[in-house]
Amino acid sequence: MAPRHILDLSVEEQRSFIDSFDMVISDCDGVVWLLVGWIPGAGEAINALKNAGKSVKFVSNNSFRTDDQYLEKFDHIGAINVQHDDVVHPVKSIVRYLHKHKPGKRVYSLMSLEANETLRKHGIEYESLQIKEHLTSASLVNYLAIEQTVDAVLFDIHLDMSYVELAKAIRHLQLNENCQLIAGGSDVIMPLAENLNVPGFYDFLQHVKRYTNREPIFLGKPSPILGDMLKEIYNIQAPERCIFVGDMLVQDIQFGKSCGFQSLLVLSGSLTKEDMIAAPPEAQPDYYADSLADFIELFKNVQ
């Protein structure tokens, strides 16, 4: 059945829709806000969902914000009572995975300064490079020297990423066949600001794969490992009573459906209604909306 706009449902259907879920898990960028800019009504919609008795959680593929920076953005939009544990992003998933599968092991981080600070806070020993000087071939050789091996290379969105950081990650993987490649966000496109979508970091990860023949372990959306983590973290016993809200088809909608959640696509990010209609059935949402703010009008209708 073709996706239906939540405001095109009859009042009775809108009431049934609201009654069909207890938990909302929402993406952040492109749904709650833009990477640079804001989406009108998002905070009010989050509060309306909570006032209706819904549990609201957030899952982002972006770890270049600290938890405190996430909460500052929620405060800015007026979303009430959002806690650190309500937000999951790739570095949190990576920390959880490392504590379970590689406790006490040393890693190489190809991630942001904010993500590295999260590693440090959770007691994970990591190596990273922060190159400020002009590089020559001789200095590059020095930077690529491996003095101590690592058990994993961590890859995520890193706006300051440099060639030498990427090259050293490849070097670590080439020299140690037991070194795992662990990846967070795999977005192809990032909705940076209104009418401005920029390339994501997926192609940089493909570059690492090409030169190492190493398949990454994905811990961001749409990884099934992340889906299992969310069910464990939030004690989701009935996934069909949860709805996933996102602005991308693969990372959000297909991910939510693979977890057994209901799905809602918002058109406030990088996609259009035409993109949604042209998508294969497995990537089409159950419902769609212009933005999260449509929940405000929906609640007014059912009340």
Side-chain angles (χ1 to χ4, degrees):
M1 188 171 64
R4 299 183 66 187
H5 196 293
I6 60 172
L7 296 183
D8 288 340
L9 303 173
S10 68
V11 172
E12 193 57 43
E13 288 173 325
Q14 288 178 346
R15 188 172 289 111
S16 296
F17 167 65
I18 289 296
D19 290 342
S20 72
F21 59 88
D22 307 306
M23 176 177 284
V24 179
I25 302 181
S26 176
D27 181 33
C28 291
D29 299 299
V31 180
V32 180
W33 50 61
L34 300 173
L35 281 171
V36 180
W38 307 100
I39 296 174
E44 185 180 349
I46 291 167
N47 296 337
L49 285 161
K50 289 186 174 183
N51 289 337
K54 310 302 180 184
S55 175
V56 185
K57 309 297 182 183
F58 304 92
V59 180
S60 174
N61 263 5
N62 292 338
S63 296
F64 54 77
R65 301 184 193 98
T66 64
D67 279 355
D68 286 342
Q69 288 170 335
Y70 266 102
L71 295 195
E72 286 172 6
K73 291 180 80 71
F74 282 113
D75 284 341
H76 181 89
I77 65 172
I80 297 171
N81 197 29
V82 179
Q83 307 297 320
H84 286 159
D85 290 343
D86 293 335
V87 184
V88 174
H89 50 72
V91 70
K92 283 187 170 180
S93 306
I94 289 170
V95 165
R96 191 179 182 92
Y97 181 90
L98 291 174
H99 280 322
K100 182 176 182 178
H101 298 283
K102 291 184 176 292
K105 300 298 184 181
R106 187 169 182 270
V107 300
Y108 176 83
S109 174
L110 196 57
M111 304 196 297
S112 67
L113 293 176
E114 293 83 359
N116 290 344
E117 176 63 14
T118 301
L119 295 179
R120 186 193 64 77
K121 285 182 176 179
H122 287 84
I124 294 171
E125 182 185 0
Y126 69 91
E127 173 192 346
S128 66
L129 291 177
Q130 297 174 35
I131 310 300
K132 302 299 182 183
E133 66 185 86
H134 172 68
L135 285 172
T136 65
S137 56
S139 60
L140 180 60
V141 169
N142 291 333
Y143 278 118
L144 295 183
I146 304 296
E147 297 179 356
Q148 186 177 353
T149 59
V150 297
D151 278 72
V153 167
L154 312 182
F155 181 97
D156 194 38
I157 295 173
H158 179 15
L159 301 181
D160 298 318
M161 186 185 296
S162 68
Y163 168 79
V164 65
E165 289 177 283
L166 199 63
K168 188 148 193 183
I170 291 170
R171 186 89 173 130
H172 269 300
L173 290 160
Q174 287 175 334
L175 293 181
N176 181 3
E177 64 179 13
N178 295 317
C179 179
Q180 287 185 327
L181 175 59
I182 300 174
S186 59
D187 297 18
V188 177
I189 297 293
M190 295 196 304
L192 188 61
E194 188 173 0
N195 300 319
L196 178 58
N197 299 321
V198 298
F201 281 72
Y202 181 74
D203 288 327
F204 291 111
L205 181 60
Q206 293 299 104
H207 185 75
V208 175
K209 285 177 56 179
R210 184 181 307 119
Y211 288 100
T212 62
N213 292 318
R214 203 68 53 87
E215 286 296 324
I217 297 170
F218 285 107
L219 296 179
K221 299 174 299 180
S223 166
I225 300 175
L226 175 61
D228 291 339
M229 282 186 183
L230 292 177
K231 291 175 183 178
E232 180 180 342
I233 292 169
Y234 296 127
N235 192 29
I236 299 173
Q237 302 293 327
E240 71 279 4
R241 298 286 305 171
C242 176
I243 188 166
F244 197 96
V245 183
D247 69 312
M248 293 188 177
L249 294 173
V250 175
Q251 284 87 352
D252 295 324
I253 301 308
Q254 203 163 327
F255 169 68
K257 294 177 75 170
S258 71
C259 294
F261 304 150
Q262 298 184 62
S263 58
L264 170 69
L265 179 75
V266 291
L267 304 178
S268 50
S270 59
L271 295 181
T272 65
K273 181 179 178 181
E274 290 70 30
D275 294 327
M276 177 188 72
I277 293 171
E282 65 271 14
Q284 290 199 359
D286 299 309
Y287 304 94
Y288 74 101
D290 292 339
S291 75
L292 207 59
D294 284 346
F295 273 104
I296 301 169
E297 184 174 345
L298 186 144
F299 279 116
K300 289 179 180 177
N301 291 343
V302 300
Q303 289 168 1

